[in-house]
Amino acid sequence: MSTIDSSDTVVLGDRAVRRLGYGAMQLAGPGVFGPPKDPDAAVAVLREAVESGVNHIDTSDFYGPHVTNQLIRKALHPYPDDLVIVTKIGARRGADGSWLPAFSPAELTQAVHDNLRNLGVDALDVVNLRSMFGIHGPAEGSVEAALSVLAELQHKGLVRHIGLSNVTPAQIEEGRRICNIVCVQNHYNLAHRADDALIDELARNGVAYVPFFPLGGFSPLQSSVLSEVAQRLRATPMQVALGWLLRRAPNILLIPGTSSVAHLRENLAAAQLDLPRDAGAALDGIGTASAANAGQHVA
């Protein structure tokens, strides 16, 4: 069994969590909609993760919907004292599996209560407000009204800590004027480096950054560089991508997802991966090339 006991920690809210966590999104059915083909296998993955030292699980009641939270409860309740479950609100699923904004006070309040019920808890450890101004990436728009609803639910004791997801730096600044923001969850990886400056700023302010899609958005050339480094280190491309993220900044928390125990063990082994300096430089170059190409495209 792979373990992550030796990995360092980051403060998330009022608790320290290990930097390699687990994202539950893939436990739902295809398209993150409906139940999984094998619910027992999903339960096994969750239990394996916690037994291996994972104490940070990322989820949402709109995964399924309701499916992943119900699986988490079945697999892990009553929860270990050190386990931090982070959920998110701000979206809902259409009957066809589409992703729709759910930003009204009634929808946000209902989402918190749905998460509480399906996870089987009296208060949610961390709730991320997921901005839906841009479904496939951050887009400007005020989060004040929605975040004020969430802050009021925090005041009532239903939410312990608040984070933001799929947001811009301006939205983070707006949010921090309303309540304490303990984490930011955005798309970021070796090839998708738009948040470089933001990550460093959040690190200076003691705010955790949680990147998703560690292998999303790679060009064939970028993938080949990653594969070459992985082959040289006798690791998988995912392990190398996760290892680079752990090396990138001390406030980064990872939530790689999988529905396979074998893949889970591979992902957790990234905590022990040693990236030599030349390998790190080759991987850093993926982001440099990506930025250059983006500049040429805009021009």
Side-chain angles (χ1 to χ4, degrees):
M1 177 188 297
S2 298
T3 65
I4 56 169
D5 291 340
S6 62
S7 64
D8 57 345
T9 61
V10 170
V11 173
L12 182 58
D14 57 354
R15 287 194 275 172
V17 297
R18 296 183 180 95
R19 294 184 66 200
L20 254 175
Y22 174 74
M25 185 174 73
Q26 293 187 31
L27 294 183
V32 201
F33 196 65
K37 181 186 295 185
D38 188 346
D40 290 339
V43 167
V45 169
L46 287 161
R47 290 176 176 165
E48 176 86 10
V50 171
E51 289 169 5
S52 299
V54 167
N55 62 354
H56 168 208
I57 292 178
D58 180 83
T59 186
S60 174
D61 214 51
F62 56 68
Y63 293 164
H66 315 307
V67 169
T68 61
N69 281 354
Q70 291 170 356
L71 286 168
I72 290 169
R73 181 175 184 174
K74 178 179 180 181
L76 303 174
H77 195 278
Y79 302 114
D81 290 341
D82 69 337
L83 181 63
V84 176
I85 299 177
V86 179
T87 190
K88 63 185 70 65
I89 63 174
R92 62 181 177 85
R93 307 303 296 277
D96 59 352
S98 56
W99 303 81
L100 304 170
F103 251 45
S104 73
E107 288 172 317
L108 295 168
T109 301
Q110 183 63 51
V112 165
H113 283 282
D114 287 345
N115 277 277
L116 289 166
R117 182 182 65 257
N118 285 310
L119 288 170
V121 295
D122 296 324
L124 300 170
D125 294 326
V126 183
V127 176
N128 286 325
L129 178 68
R130 210 280 187 188
S131 170
M132 293 292 287
F133 295 108
I135 294 178
H136 301 295
E140 296 295 354
S142 177
V143 296
E144 179 179 2
L147 201 55
S148 296
V149 173
L150 190 50
E152 178 60 26
L153 294 169
Q154 181 185 39
H155 181 71
K156 292 179 178 179
L158 300 180
V159 174
R160 294 192 177 97
H161 302 284
I162 295 173
L164 293 169
S165 178
N166 195 46
V167 287
T168 67
Q171 288 165 336
I172 296 169
E173 285 305 306
E174 181 183 40
R176 294 180 72 180
R177 292 193 292 269
I178 299 166
C179 61
N180 183 44
I181 301 298
V182 302
C183 59
V184 172
Q185 186 181 101
N186 274 359
H187 181 193
Y188 179 85
N189 58 34
L190 273 165
H192 192 276
R193 302 275 295 276
D195 276 359
D196 267 336
L198 175 61
I199 289 171
D200 296 334
E201 179 184 352
L202 293 175
R204 289 190 292 269
N205 289 305
V207 179
Y209 184 90
V210 188
F212 54 81
F213 297 149
L215 286 181
F218 281 64
S219 70
L221 179 60
Q222 291 165 341
S223 294
S224 68
V225 173
L226 178 61
S227 296
E228 288 166 7
V229 171
Q231 184 175 15
R232 180 156 64 89
L233 299 180
R234 297 183 179 180
T236 68
M238 176 64 98
Q239 287 174 328
V240 172
L242 295 174
W244 181 88
L245 285 166
L246 289 172
R247 173 180 170 270
R248 167 61 183 83
N251 62 323
I252 285 182
L253 292 172
L254 302 183
I255 50 168
T258 179
S259 58
S260 159
V261 168
H263 288 160
L264 172 71
R265 291 171 178 169
E266 288 182 358
N267 291 343
L268 297 184
Q272 280 77 46
L273 183 66
D274 181 27
L275 284 178
R277 181 171 296 182
D278 60 337
L283 296 171
D284 290 343
I286 290 177
T288 302
S290 178
N293 291 336
Q296 291 173 3
H297 178 72
V298 170

